Amino acid sequence: MKSQQREILVVFSDVDFSPQLNSILQELHNRGANFAVVLIGNTQLKIAQQIVNQGWDLRVIRERGKFGSAFSLLLITREIIQKRPRVLFASGQFATVIGTLSARLLNIPRRITIRHHSNFHHKYKMKFGILIDKLVNFLSTEIIAVSSTVKDILVSYEGVKAEKIVLIHNGVELSKFRELTINANGITYQEKNNKEIFHIGVISRLTQWKGVEYIALAFVKLHREFPNFRLHIVGAFADSYSRVVEILSAIDNRFYTLEQQNHNIPAFLHSLDVFVHVPIGPSDEAFGIVYIEALAAGIPCIFTCSGVLNELDPPDRYAAIVEYANYEDIYANIKGLFLGTSNPKITVPDSWLNTFTVEVMAKSYSDLILEAAN
């Protein structure tokens, strides 16, 4: 198809499926925006299929990794020359680097990027990652921080001027998590007994800073006291996977489940008796969408305070807040919930949760992008 001039060029990478990004594109479309999308990946990705089904202008560039970056840069540059946009909007580490560099070389006046990660590169002293972050910061005209935590890191760690940063929280389809009810049979947590299954749930990538190994240690100790406990972990297997498996090997594998993905997260959350999410530091989680999903679902939660939870004041009014990297604290809080010595926290106010809807998020992104295009 012959290329046409577009006011906005959207570049995505490092993504398979994203209701958030799709909702931004839908809002831009609804508001009559003239945009095209470049996806660095492949045509089999779910987000590519969604864009095609919507009939939007899409170009897919095959991902070539770091060694193919120069060729990818040439392909993005060609797209920018053909589309001649006023605004480049990029999401994903690779897309932000390649997209902003090419756009700056071609004098595209507005270059808007999303900063999805927090202090990861700094914490683990990843010099190349820090260099890339600083390059993107320099090349971007606006940087969207997905939480106040990310904004603070951009300002404090990386010296970005505050006026260059726009805070837009990630969005959640809250209705999907609110429409189900837990404990439909009327059983209270205090009425649980040793004949019933008590489900502990986790949704987290199995990487060291997410703290899943501490949940595993707590579960092994709990299971020795209460054989009816079950643990279900959903998340991509990464660097802490072998450690988590090693810890759980102390008990029969019938009593726990590890799976890389679950296609019905609302139903999964509502099947649980308690949800646990425990990143090991206050800035380790950039946002933590599972915080919002679990709180919206109304199930008892055990958290460490990180990412967006830093913006819920006070968080211990709504969830049990445990110490970082402390499996004994996790153990004690789950046991207290099971025995009825600690009560499930009260429901988070809708006024707070509603600030994290996909509708609010998509409108904020669209307002920023369309203002830049005019």
Side-chain angles (χ1 to χ4, degrees):
M1 184 172 64
K2 186 177 179 181
S3 295
Q4 297 177 344
Q5 183 174 355
R6 302 291 187 190
E7 293 176 349
I8 303 158
L9 183 64
V10 180
V11 185
F12 292 154
S13 70
D14 310 295
V15 62
D16 175 18
F17 172 70
S18 174
Q20 292 80 18
L21 293 177
N22 189 68
S23 68
I24 295 168
L25 295 179
Q26 185 64 60
E27 180 70 10
L28 287 171
H29 173 77
N30 292 345
R31 295 172 67 171
N34 185 10
F35 68 90
V37 183
V38 175
L39 175 64
I40 302 172
N42 64 74
T43 57
Q44 302 307 309
L45 295 173
K46 292 178 182 177
I47 193 167
Q49 296 168 10
Q50 284 182 322
I51 293 170
V52 169
N53 290 340
Q54 295 283 3
W56 298 328
D57 187 345
L58 173 67
R59 169 73 189 278
V60 177
I61 295 176
R62 183 168 59 86
E63 188 173 0
R64 291 173 171 82
K66 287 186 286 188
F67 295 107
S69 297
F71 189 62
S72 297
L73 177 64
L74 288 174
L75 293 176
I76 293 291
T77 299
R78 185 179 70 176
E79 289 297 312
I80 293 175
I81 291 171
Q82 290 178 335
K83 305 296 187 186
R84 302 187 299 282
R86 286 186 50 78
V87 179
L88 177 113
F89 168 56
S91 174
Q93 186 100 45
F94 198 65
T96 56
V97 177
I98 299 295
T100 55
L101 181 57
S102 180
R104 179 65 184 86
L105 291 172
L106 294 170
N107 292 317
I108 303 305
R110 302 289 285 270
R111 302 172 297 278
I112 302 171
T113 58
I114 309 176
R115 173 64 174 259
H116 291 286
H117 60 282
S118 59
N119 67 344
F120 181 76
H121 294 146
H122 297 278
K123 183 168 184 173
Y124 296 100
K125 297 179 172 60
M126 302 170 71
K127 294 182 180 179
F128 182 72
I130 294 171
L131 178 64
I132 291 298
D133 288 342
K134 289 184 176 180
L135 177 64
V136 171
N137 294 344
F138 173 74
L139 294 171
S140 302
T141 55
E142 291 94 0
I143 304 169
I144 296 169
V146 298
S147 69
S148 294
T149 296
V150 172
K151 182 177 180 179
D152 291 343
I153 288 164
L154 286 166
V155 173
S156 302
Y157 283 63
E158 299 172 17
V160 179
K161 293 181 179 179
E163 56 265 28
K164 195 176 188 176
I165 303 168
V166 181
L167 177 62
I168 303 178
H169 292 112
N170 287 333
V172 180
E173 296 178 278
L174 291 178
S175 61
K176 291 185 177 181
F177 297 90
R178 287 167 164 163
E179 64 191 10
L180 300 175
T181 56
I182 59 173
N183 287 335
N185 57 4
I187 295 175
T188 66
Y189 295 98
Q190 290 81 357
E191 291 170 341
K192 290 280 182 181
N193 58 60
N194 290 337
K195 294 181 181 180
E196 296 170 326
I197 302 302
F198 189 87
H199 292 279
I200 304 166
V202 180
I203 302 172
S204 174
R205 186 167 179 261
L206 272 65
T207 191
Q208 186 265 342
W209 61 268
K210 292 281 193 177
V212 180
E213 62 190 82
Y214 300 101
I215 302 172
L217 287 166
F219 173 70
V220 169
K221 185 173 181 178
L222 284 162
H223 190 268
R224 287 170 177 160
E225 293 182 55
F226 308 104
N228 59 319
F229 275 35
R230 300 292 184 270
L231 176 66
H232 193 153
I233 300 173
V234 177
F237 299 165
D239 54 272
S240 70
Y241 170 74
S242 59
R243 174 60 179 151
V244 171
V245 170
E246 179 187 7
I247 293 167
L248 293 175
S249 67
I251 59 178
D252 194 305
N253 62 13
R254 293 176 301 158
F255 302 121
Y256 62 87
T257 300
L258 295 171
E259 61 179 353
Q260 298 209 57
Q261 58 182 335
N262 185 298
H263 295 292
N264 194 339
I265 293 300
F268 170 70
L269 285 172
H270 284 283
S271 73
L272 304 176
D273 294 295
V274 61
F275 178 75
V276 188
H277 188 62
V278 287
I280 63 174
S283 301
D284 288 57
E285 190 74 81
F287 183 81
I289 206 162
V290 293
Y291 285 132
I292 306 300
E293 292 172 341
L295 289 170
I299 59 175
C301 296
I302 295 174
F303 294 147
T304 54
C305 200
S306 189
V308 73
L309 204 65
N310 290 311
E311 301 177 42
L312 177 60
D313 186 28
D316 59 0
R317 187 179 181 188
Y318 309 102
I321 305 300
V322 297
E323 295 181 3
Y324 301 108
N326 188 325
Y327 83 91
E328 290 283 3
D329 207 6
I330 299 169
Y331 157 83
N333 275 272
I334 295 176
K335 182 177 179 179
L337 179 66
F338 177 73
L339 294 178
T341 56
S342 62
N343 295 320
K345 301 295 182 173
I346 65 173
T347 302
V348 176
D350 283 342
S351 58
W352 188 78
L353 282 175
N354 288 339
T355 63
F356 301 101
T357 65
V358 288
E359 293 81 10
V360 169
M361 180 206 69
K363 182 180 183 304
S364 297
Y365 273 92
S366 295
D367 287 345
L368 175 64
I369 294 167
L370 291 174
E371 180 278 327
N374 293 327

